[in-house]
Amino acid sequence: MPRVGFCGLGAMGGAMARNILAAGFPLTIATSSPEKAERFRGEGASVADTPAALAQRSDVIVTCVPDAGALDALIDGDGGFSRADLADKLFVDCSTIAPHDACRAAERIRSAGGRFVDAPVSGGTKGAAERTLTIMCGGQAADIEAATPLLKAMGKAITHFGPLGAGQAVKAANQLMVAVNMMGAFEAIALARANGVDPEAMRQALLTGAARSGVLEMHAKRYLDDALAGGFRIELLRKDLGIVASEGGRNGLSQPASALAHQLINAACNAGFEGQDSAALGRFYDLANGKARP
Amino acid sequence: MPRVGFCGLGAMGGAMARNILAAGFPLTIATSSPEKAERFRGEGASVADTPAALAQRSDVIVTCVPDAGALDALIDGDGGFSRADLADKLFVDCSTIAPHDACRAAERIRSAGGRFVDAPVSGGTKGAAERTLTIMCGGQAADIEAATPLLKAMGKAITHFGPLGAGQAVKAANQLMVAVNMMGAFEAIALARANGVDPEAMRQALLTGAARSGVLEMHAKRYLDDALAGGFRIELLRKDLGIVASEGGRNGLSQPASALAHQLINAACNAGFEGQDSAALGRFYDLANGKARP
């Protein structure tokens, strides 16, 4: 069994690393938190002092960090991966970053002899805990094949979408559609209310027709139920739409609806909805429609 | 059994009128087309010379016309409904018009003694032929109850959403979400392509997650399969988004995504995609992304 290294033991990464241990892989972690080091040691993991030391004693290295800057720091910071000989090491990055940032990171890893695949996940902390994550992969087919037993310890639907960055592109596309579909759902709800229609009755009726969506099923319901604590926080969707914008910018894509969603989600965060579920965009629409006071 | 009158024997209305006949209701039609008059007479309907004459010999009058102007002409034109005594007559308008136009028409009918409900349908010519239409109703509960046996001869899911105009509001909300969700799907496809991802592989993978939608299932597939002949024509969606805009304007609603969808669909119609399925919006995105030439 390949020896696995794991960096980025947050809410997602921590659960994923535990499933790797549970599947029987020898695991090394690196963390700046003495508490996390202690806890994982107690569960059977080794602890390395630096990412470079972790890489030296691992065959496959999984990273799951908040953004491209954090990944860069793991690679090129003090004691970073690039300080080690990475020949025959396979890096599996489960962070959500821009496709071109994935390509940039891959280049740095390659220049130290290693291999790299992008493998962002979706399914939230629940999916991470229950091993039901969807994992979207980009990179060389042989590398993804080599990573598959490990990916299967973390998730369920594992798809190889194309070259490096392809997994990140599909993740970005997913977030883009969720955000755009939310605008549609909340504008539909406002139109219904203005005409004396109970939005929950409308939501249920339209779930069987052409306007049905995961957003109308889940996000609109959370908004209507006022169940916006916890969940996928709106500032994370803001970050993801920043990735969509930067990727669109690099490729000269016309993305009017994504840009609008990005701006409205920015505004919702600025208006005080940070920390709430992304469906709090509906609350921002309430403000914009004079149906609430800040 | 109530005597039924039907005005508006187009692709939708013609099929609906046939189902009313098939259900055993005595039917009178009025039409300016001698061919249609002959055909319906052959199928057992009576033919009235004017809408007023049709109303005089009917208990329930169904209208299914392209727009509010056509409905106004039926009511107030030469030989229009308002020329007859409409006491105890129930009008069921299955046209797709703005909620406030429905209220205006209802007022004209009421001033001549009649009652009025709005009952726009969705499900297309297939749903009309197969009696599987979704019918969205607004108006007095007693009137909708009285119309229900007749509505059941034309459709399957019949819901009363609220006061006059409520059915039209739900229909508009449905069209709004379809149009907005289309922008999301086509921007996601462009992002995927720019990163070497097969959009059909992405579409199938994301259909099981939070980004799933009727649009990703159906409209995106029609676009990817280049199956844009027939179907629900993009200029009809343009008209429906005009209703959303006018309704939003009347109520001072903030509808940024609907307005954007309206503008892009306008542009797509102007760029030459009139007559194609509404999913031709994806072809307009191709133009905007330099992936096609006009």
Side-chain angles (χ1 to χ4, degrees), chain B residues 142-255:
Chain B
D143 293 341
I144 286 158
E145 209 173 303
T148 296
L150 177 63
L151 294 173
K152 281 188 174 161
M154 299 188 285
K156 215 167 58 174
I158 296 149
T159 311
H160 180 202
F161 284 106
L164 256 175
Q168 296 293 356
V170 173
K171 176 79 193 274
N174 187 77
Q175 304 300 81
L176 176 173
M177 283 192 278
V178 167
V180 170
N181 293 356
M182 269 207 278
M183 295 192 295
F186 294 131
E187 293 183 23
I189 286 171
L191 188 65
R193 282 186 175 139
N195 285 279
V197 175
D198 170 29
E200 176 59 16
M202 178 185 80
R203 193 187 71 83
Q204 288 185 16
L206 298 191
L207 272 181
T208 60
R212 67 182 174 274
S213 68
V215 161
L216 192 63
E217 251 177 88
M218 302 181 295
H219 299 69
K221 180 152 175 40
R222 287 203 289 275
Y223 158 79
L224 290 171
D225 291 349
D226 207 5
L228 300 173
F232 182 74
R233 296 196 310 282
I234 192 165
E235 60 268 32
L236 297 175
L237 191 55
R238 176 191 211 170
K239 176 205 126 188
D240 291 347
L241 286 166
I243 290 173
V244 171
S246 102
E247 189 56 23
R250 278 177 52 86
N251 290 285
L253 300 177
S254 176
Q255 305 180 306

Side-chain angles (χ1 to χ4, degrees), chain A residues 99 161 166 169 174 176-177 180-181 184 187 191 195 197 202 205 211-214 217 247 253-258 260 289, chain B residues 99 161 166 169 173-174 176-177 180-181 184 187 191 195 197 205-206 211-214 217 247 253-258 260 289:
Chain A
F161 285 105
N174 187 77
L176 175 174
M177 282 192 278
V180 170
N181 293 356
E187 294 183 24
L191 188 66
N195 284 279
V197 175
M202 177 186 79
R212 68 182 174 275
S213 68
E217 252 177 87
E247 189 57 22
L253 299 177
S254 176
Q255 304 181 306
S258 308
L260 179 59
N289 283 315
Chain B
F161 284 106
N174 187 77
L176 176 173
M177 283 192 278
V180 170
N181 293 356
E187 293 183 23
L191 188 65
N195 285 279
V197 175
L206 298 191
R212 67 182 174 274
S213 68
E217 251 177 88
E247 189 56 23
L253 300 177
S254 176
Q255 305 180 306
S258 308
L260 179 59
N289 284 315

